Amino acid sequence: MKNICFCIQMHEPYRLKRYRFFDIGQDHYYYDDAETEEHLNWLVETSYMPLCQTLKEMIRLSKGKFHCAIAISGSMLEMYEQFAPEMIDVLKELAQTKCVEFVATPFSYSLVAEFNENDFRNQLDQHAQVINDLFGQKPTTVCNAELLYSDEIAFDLQKWGYKVAMTEGAKHILSWKSPNYVYQSAASPKLGVLMRNAALSDELAFHFSDPTWGNYPMDAEKYADQLAAMPENENLINIWLGAETFGIRQSAATGIFDFLKALPYYVLEKGIGFVTPAEAAKKVASAEVVSVPYPITWAGEAKDISLYAGNDLQQEAIKKLYNVAERVHLCSDKRLKRDWLLLQDVNYLHYMNHIDQGATNYESAYDAFINYMNVLADFLQLVDEQYPTTIENEELNSLLKTINNQEKEIQVLEKEVKSLRSAKKAPAEPTTCAKTKCSKTSKKTK
């Protein structure tokens, strides 16, 4: 049976304010809350809320047969709680349907997996905790920021207990193969790898309202026919889109929400099902092994990390940022740690590329770089005040390992104490001998 794995990715960065050289050491708050709130409210009204309401309708009208996944960063959830709490409510309603899987992603929507393994795990753990607290789910699938993936990342994910990784069906990786299967990681055979069908996904994201496109105008029935016409042995079609596709890239006037609402009816009529990534890995047998020796993403023509780390500006920012990782983890200042997470957002690096500026308020890549580096300079000063750069990284690593080991030991001891206390409180069950003796005594009395 053919299945569709439908996933929506939702993230927006906190807007950095114009931060001048003379602000360094004077102003330790880096964000433009007014602009962030204004932009978020526009996103919620134009795209995110109508999209979530449409997903609820799709589940209701299909009587629970429509399943999908949502990849939403921890920083995005924080932003909702701060500026648009109604979004948390509607996401909880989606979780209660049991038809939506909330997948794991780095808390700050960063490329940390490529630059700091320990922090990558910390961010996944932090995000998983938030997902569990808000939606009652423990993620087993990882949808990395920008679908970042490699064999090295796969090895880490399996080691940490994850079952599925989502990535781009890049042509230079698949060659003649189709993305419409469940693959196994070459580095970690127990990890299922799902690969995005770029053609079918981009058909909706970029061509839906394009009158010059061959399939224009597109409707749900025509799209379902297209899916049904795929080879029968290609049993998993991964359609993953940014949430901004609905209402922004394709405005409501194009009929994109009506198209989405009608899609389950026509797809199910063709005998095609819907699955979440976790369900796909369980239901659909793995086709074969896929090897990804170098990191891939869903960005740009090259489908690599060049849009985020391909020029000298980006590489300098990355080097400065991640060189203080150990120092930040040793700090006790919660605000400093939160800034550390937010400043890793991949969008800040994206603004520094010379190829695709995207939605940015900066005049140039250099302008974005200068603003970010001024912010980073102040942040680094604050970190240096707590753990000076005169302390070697090896010494900091040793100290951090000691602290982590102590924390793990404390957790184990706390569990033992809790277990002993519960055992002490529980009433002792009478032994078989005691029960027999009691029974005989009772008979003699009679």
Side-chain angles (χ1 to χ4, degrees):
M1 179 181 175
K2 208 180 262 113
N3 291 283
I4 295 174
C5 179
F6 194 82
C7 180
I8 299 294
Q9 196 170 61
M10 200 177 286
H11 173 75
E12 189 67 23
Y14 280 84
R15 299 300 177 105
L16 295 178
K17 63 186 178 185
R18 284 290 174 173
Y19 197 88
R20 311 297 180 185
F21 175 80
F22 298 104
D23 293 325
I24 300 171
Q26 306 299 320
D27 181 2
H28 306 313
Y29 193 76
Y30 313 128
Y31 316 102
D32 189 331
D33 287 341
E35 188 180 346
T36 298
E37 183 177 11
E38 182 182 355
H39 186 67
L40 181 67
N41 287 336
W42 174 72
L43 287 171
V44 168
E45 182 180 347
T46 310
S47 174
Y48 296 169
M49 184 58 76
L51 173 59
C52 288
Q53 296 293 1
T54 301
L55 292 176
K56 282 172 57 182
E57 275 294 284
M58 293 164 75
I59 293 167
R60 185 184 68 81
L61 292 172
S62 67
K63 297 181 180 178
K65 291 180 181 179
F66 172 73
H67 288 197
C68 68
I70 295 178
I72 179 169
S73 67
S75 56
M76 180 90 259
L77 288 168
E78 279 190 351
M79 198 184 292
Y80 284 154
E81 288 179 330
Q82 186 177 358
F83 300 120
E86 66 274 16
M87 279 302 300
I88 298 292
D89 294 335
V90 75
L91 289 169
K92 284 182 177 179
E93 290 170 7
L94 283 169
Q96 287 165 5
T97 66
K98 307 296 183 185
C99 297
V100 178
E101 178 186 358
F102 287 87
V103 299
T105 192
F107 188 90
S108 66
Y109 199 75
S110 65
L111 301 185
V112 64
E114 187 62 20
F115 305 116
N116 191 303
E117 179 187 328
N118 289 334
D119 204 56
F120 179 40
R121 182 174 188 179
N122 289 339
Q123 288 203 35
L124 287 179
D125 289 346
Q126 190 175 351
H127 182 262
Q129 186 61 56
V130 172
I131 293 298
N132 187 53
D133 291 345
L134 288 175
F135 311 122
Q137 295 186 16
K138 183 180 178 182
T140 59
T141 302
V142 173
C143 178
N144 213 341
E146 303 297 281
L147 294 183
L148 174 65
Y149 177 83
S150 69
D151 288 341
E152 187 176 354
I153 291 172
F155 180 80
D156 288 335
L157 294 180
Q158 182 180 298
K159 182 173 62 177
W160 300 332
Y162 289 97
K163 306 298 182 185
V164 186
M166 301 167 66
T167 190
E168 176 74 357
K171 289 182 180 179
H172 68 279
I173 295 296
L174 288 173
S175 185
W176 53 269
K177 297 176 187 174
S178 167
N180 303 330
Y181 297 101
V182 175
Y183 287 92
Q184 287 179 312
S185 163
S188 304
K190 291 182 180 179
L191 185 76
V193 181
L194 308 186
M195 309 195 83
R196 174 178 175 262
N197 188 310
L200 286 171
S201 300
D202 291 349
E203 198 165 27
L204 301 182
F206 301 105
H207 305 299
F208 182 79
S209 59
D210 180 6
T212 64
W213 171 51
N215 284 334
Y216 181 85
M218 174 58 76
D219 57 42
E221 186 175 9
K222 189 189 292 186
Y223 196 73
D225 287 340
Q226 196 172 340
L227 297 173
M230 305 287 285
E232 194 58 40
N233 64 323
E234 296 185 6
N235 49 16
L236 182 67
I237 305 167
N238 298 308
I239 301 172
W240 306 338
L241 305 157
E244 68 280 354
T245 295
F246 305 94
I248 297 175
R249 189 175 287 128
Q250 305 297 335
S251 71
T254 65
I256 189 70
F257 289 111
D258 294 329
F259 163 87
L260 194 59
K261 190 184 294 186
L263 190 61
Y265 172 81
Y266 289 104
V267 166
L268 292 168
E269 193 178 47
K270 301 288 182 184
I272 303 171
F274 288 94
V275 291
T276 66
E279 290 169 345
K282 289 178 182 177
K283 289 183 178 181
V284 183
S286 300
E288 57 182 280
V289 170
V290 63
S291 177
V292 184
Y294 303 105
I296 59 173
T297 69
W298 67 354
E301 292 291 329
K303 304 297 182 186
D304 57 14
I305 62 171
S306 58
L307 271 181
Y308 317 107
N311 64 40
D312 293 341
L313 305 180
Q314 294 163 322
Q315 290 164 15
E316 177 67 14
I318 290 166
K319 181 182 176 182
K320 292 283 187 184
L321 180 64
Y322 287 104
N323 269 354
V324 295
E326 290 80 6
R327 288 172 170 76
V328 172
H329 291 313
L330 287 169
C331 292
S332 56
D333 189 329
K334 289 184 179 180
R335 181 173 163 182
L336 204 64
K337 289 194 171 189
R338 183 173 182 273
D339 287 337
W340 162 250
L341 283 172
L342 297 185
L343 290 176
Q344 293 180 55
D345 196 303
V346 69
N347 286 278
Y348 302 143
L349 296 173
H350 188 196
Y351 300 152
M352 299 177 201
N353 83 83
H354 299 297
I355 304 166
D356 173 27
Q357 280 290 285
T360 171
N361 294 332
Y362 300 105
E363 294 177 4
S364 66
Y366 187 71
D367 185 34
F369 171 75
I370 291 297
N371 198 72
Y372 182 81
M373 292 305 285
N374 285 340
V375 167
L376 195 56
D378 183 80
F379 173 78
L380 296 178
Q381 276 188 13
L382 295 177
V383 174
D384 192 52
E385 287 173 8
Q386 297 201 29
Y387 288 94
T389 51
T390 52
I391 305 175
E392 293 294 330
N393 277 343
E394 289 182 7
E395 188 179 345
L396 286 168
N397 268 321
S398 176
L399 182 57
L400 191 57
K401 283 181 182 177
T402 302
I403 291 171
N404 287 336
N405 289 337
Q406 286 175 344
E407 287 178 352
K408 288 177 183 176
E409 191 175 343
I410 288 169
Q411 288 174 359
V412 170
L413 291 172
E414 283 177 346
K415 285 181 181 178
E416 288 180 5
V417 169
K418 190 176 180 181
S419 177
L420 289 169
R421 281 178 179 169
S422 59
K424 191 175 181 181
K425 287 179 182 177
E429 281 286 329
T431 62
T432 307
C433 293
K435 287 179 181 176
T436 307
K437 186 177 180 182
C438 186
S439 177
K440 286 179 179 179
T441 306
S442 178
K443 285 179 182 177
K444 284 179 181 179
T445 304
K446 288 180 180 179

